[in-house]
């Protein structure tokens, strides 16, 4: 195994890698900058012939796309940049070994509301012939085209360089012309990535929301979720399929998007060799992987389930994205491979690589003779590797966070604690290195969502606080996903008393175990986690001595009203519900109960939780005579994907906690 597969000097040039001393010897500004820095590798993909890599990396005000050319000795060539104001590259793929497709996501501020949008572009590996793949909208279009298309298939027999991509067709005004576009809805086009020649292979349908191919150029499944006369998405999702060689659609399954979760079989991928659709079903209270035959018989097979947790991820690999396994998370995420060779390889790599990391396959060449993979863990932010099946050679490619390479990170340990009603609650405890693990300043860090859960692995926010001397506990409170429908309850808003009660019990457990000094106990959360941090005082105003909330939900009625401007407004309203909990479960309505000092952060272009939520919380706390500091980040979204903003968030949070906790 070579130390740096593309050359240490080249890696430095590509990602600006610098040496880093131990975080324990650095001042606050230095540590905050290291952990606040964005991943140096934000996306990485492998060309079909294995000769090149496309790497997306952060720039001071945007991103850069570079190509690593192994045939030229690992030469790195920057080929494109995008400024933050124009969006962010989320994913790149190779239709051929000389052509790259990238998807850009952005948020447009119309003045009346924020609109998310996507666009696709293509560029040669040498940076030439860059074009926008997304069909350009006419000036007489009768509405905005937010969806720039989803890449469905890029392995088309007899059509090299062409792809299948969805297209949102927007009708055009026809006055004075016979050439107006009249189709409306989501369709599929076959597009030549060089000439931009477009052929419609699936006519637009107003109710269509996505399509699934068989990985070899044939559209086999269509997802339909109509928008009703009120402009809202239906609660019923219908999945249609085609038999091999047929153009006729038949019903495969129907799912219901309810207030708590989606029930019914939800297909994710098609295996053309087996002629089945793989997907998930939660009819027994836990999500399992299921296959349904696509031959008209609808034969069902329960492929994988795991007692006590949901099977929630499908594992696909290769140019045809063939299904090779599925995964679930207990105390750690486990992948069950159906492919014997990948199963053996994953196990061998997990044992051979330092720290027994989790191994994930990212990409593969045309014949899967070379595999791009990442190995990561709680104390390892991740290293990418290239594995050659023929030579059995494993080569380091690029570290995900080189600025943390020589920083000692704290191990994350799974724990359980007992809630007041006797329920055992799982979570993760991270203790600062070099401490006794007793009498520490501590942070309870509830996750976002609430339809989410924490997992074992690297977390930049957790590791920062551990590096600054805090014990960190991440509770998977009731209301978290991944543990079945009974654990999820009605969700963390409608069942807020249970969810927040578990979060508070996590803090009490830290004190009872002697891990935390009760006078130095804080709570820090992002999104729903920020909501939980603020709402914790509604049940126990004396428990936490400082509160940090990033992009928090603060007013449930406002969250519902924000969503009413979008097509999913009714679904969000059902999720939030009606009743007394709208008032009792809203932090802004309980501002007077908060005793601890509060620090708030929010980006002004947050589509998930509007910035007004924090602005109102700030006003309510001030009106109630409470200690509050509010920091706003202009033009940033929910994730605050900006190194300067994240660095400030970390440094301000640590300084605030130390002052509030008397450290």
């Amino acid at each position: 195994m070579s130390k740096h597969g593309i050359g240490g000097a080249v890696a430095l040039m590509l990602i600006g890698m610098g040496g880093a001393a131990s975080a324990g010897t650095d001042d606050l500004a230095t540590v905050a900058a290291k952990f606040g820095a964005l991943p140096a590798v934000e996306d990485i993909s492998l060309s079909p012939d294995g000769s090149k890599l496309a790497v997306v990396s952060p720039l001071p005000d945007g991103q850069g796309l570079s190509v690593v050319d192994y045939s030229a000795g690992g030469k790195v060539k920057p080929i494109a940049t995008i400024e933050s104001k124009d969006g962010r590259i989320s994913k790149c793929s190779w239709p051929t070994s000389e052509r790259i497709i990238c998807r850009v996501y952005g948020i447009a501020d119309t003045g009346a509301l924020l609109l998310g949008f996507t666009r696709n572009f293509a560029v040669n590996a040498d940076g030439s012939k860059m074009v926008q793949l997304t069909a350009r909208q006419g000036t007489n279009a009768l509405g905005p085209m937010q969806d720039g298309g989803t890449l469905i298939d890029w392995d088309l027999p007899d059509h090299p360089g062409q792809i299948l991509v969805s297209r949102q067709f927007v009708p055009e005004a026809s006055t004075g012309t016979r050439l107006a576009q009249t189709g409306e809805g989501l369709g599929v086009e076959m597009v030549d990535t060089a000439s931009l020649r477009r052929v419609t292979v699936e006519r637009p349908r107003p109710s269509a929301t996505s399509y699934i191919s068989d990985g070899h150029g044939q559209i086999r499944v269509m997802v339909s979720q109509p928008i009703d006369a009120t402009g809202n998405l239906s609660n019923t999702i219908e999945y249609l399929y085609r038999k091999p060689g047929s153009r006729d659609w038949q019903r495969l399954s129907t799912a219901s998007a309810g207030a708590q979760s989606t029930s019914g079989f939800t297909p994710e991928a098609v295996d053309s060799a087996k002629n089945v659709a793989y997907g998930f079903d939660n009819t027994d209270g836990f999500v399992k992987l299921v296959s349904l035959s696509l031959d008209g018989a609808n034969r069902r097979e329960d492929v994988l389930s795991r007692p006590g947790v949901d099977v929630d991820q499908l594992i696909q690999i290769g140019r045809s994205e063939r299904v090779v396994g599925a995964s679930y998370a207990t105390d750690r995420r486990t992948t069950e491979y159906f492919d014997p060779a990948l199963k053996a390889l994953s196990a061998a790599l997990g044992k051979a690589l330092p720290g027994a990391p989790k191994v994930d396959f990212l990409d593969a060449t045309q014949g899967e003779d070379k595999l791009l993979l990442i190995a990561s863990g709680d104390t390892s932010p991740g290293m990418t590797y290239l594995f050659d099946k023929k030579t059995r050679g494993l080569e380091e490619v690029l570290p995900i966070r080189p600025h943390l390479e020589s920083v000692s990170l704290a191990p994350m340990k799974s724990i359980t604690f007992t809630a007041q009603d006797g329920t055992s609650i799982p979570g993760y405890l991270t203790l600062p290195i070099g401490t006794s693990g007793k009498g520490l300043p501590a942070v309870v860090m509830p996750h976002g969502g609430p339809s989410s859960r924490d997992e074992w692995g690297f977390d930049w926010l957790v590791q920062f606080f551990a590096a600054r001397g805090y014990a960190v506990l991440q509770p998977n409170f009731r209301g978290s996903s991944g543990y079945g429908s009974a654990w999820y309850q009605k969700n963390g808003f409608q069942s807020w008393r249970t969810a927040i009660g578990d979060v508070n019990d996590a803090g009490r457990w830290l004190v009872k175990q002697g891990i935390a000094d009760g006078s130095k106990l804080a709570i820090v959360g992002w999104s729903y986690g920020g909501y939980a941090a603020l709402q914790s005082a509604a049940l126990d105003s004396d428990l936490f001595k400082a509160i940090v909330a990033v992009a928090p939900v603060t007013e449930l009625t406002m969250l519902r009203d924000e969503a009413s401007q979008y097509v999913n407004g009714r679904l969000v309203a059902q999720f939030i519900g009606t009743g007394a909990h709208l008032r009792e479960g809203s932090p802004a309505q309980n501002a007077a109960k908060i005793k601890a000092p509060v620090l708030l952060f929010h980006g002004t272009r947050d589509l998930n939780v509007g910035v007004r939520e924090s602005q109102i919380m700030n006003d309510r706390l001030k009106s109630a005579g409470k200690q509050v500091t509010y920091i706003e980040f202009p033009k940033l979204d929910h994730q605050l994907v900006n190194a300067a903003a994240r660095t400030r968030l970390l440094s301000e949070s640590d300084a605030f906690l130390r002052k509030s906790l008397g450290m």
Side-chain angles (χ1 to χ4, degrees), residues 69-123:
D69 190 344
Y70 282 97
S71 65
K75 181 180 179 181
V76 178
K77 180 179 177 62
I79 63 170
T81 60
I82 181 171
E83 296 184 18
S84 297
K85 65 180 180 62
D86 297 321
R88 293 187 57 79
I89 299 172
S90 59
K91 179 64 181 175
C92 293
S93 305
W94 297 78
T96 72
S97 292
E98 295 300 328
R99 199 75 169 146
I100 305 168
I101 302 170
C102 293
R103 180 179 175 90
V104 174
Y105 170 78
I107 297 174
D109 189 347
T110 68
L113 74 165
L114 299 173
L115 289 177
F117 67 88
T118 58
R119 295 293 183 266
N120 296 312
F121 70 87
V123 61

Side-chain angles (χ1 to χ4, degrees), residues 482-498:
Y483 295 94
S485 57
W487 191 266
Y488 186 70
Q489 301 202 347
K490 290 184 178 180
N491 74 54
F493 290 129
Q494 295 194 42
S495 301
W496 75 268
R497 289 184 182 276
T498 300

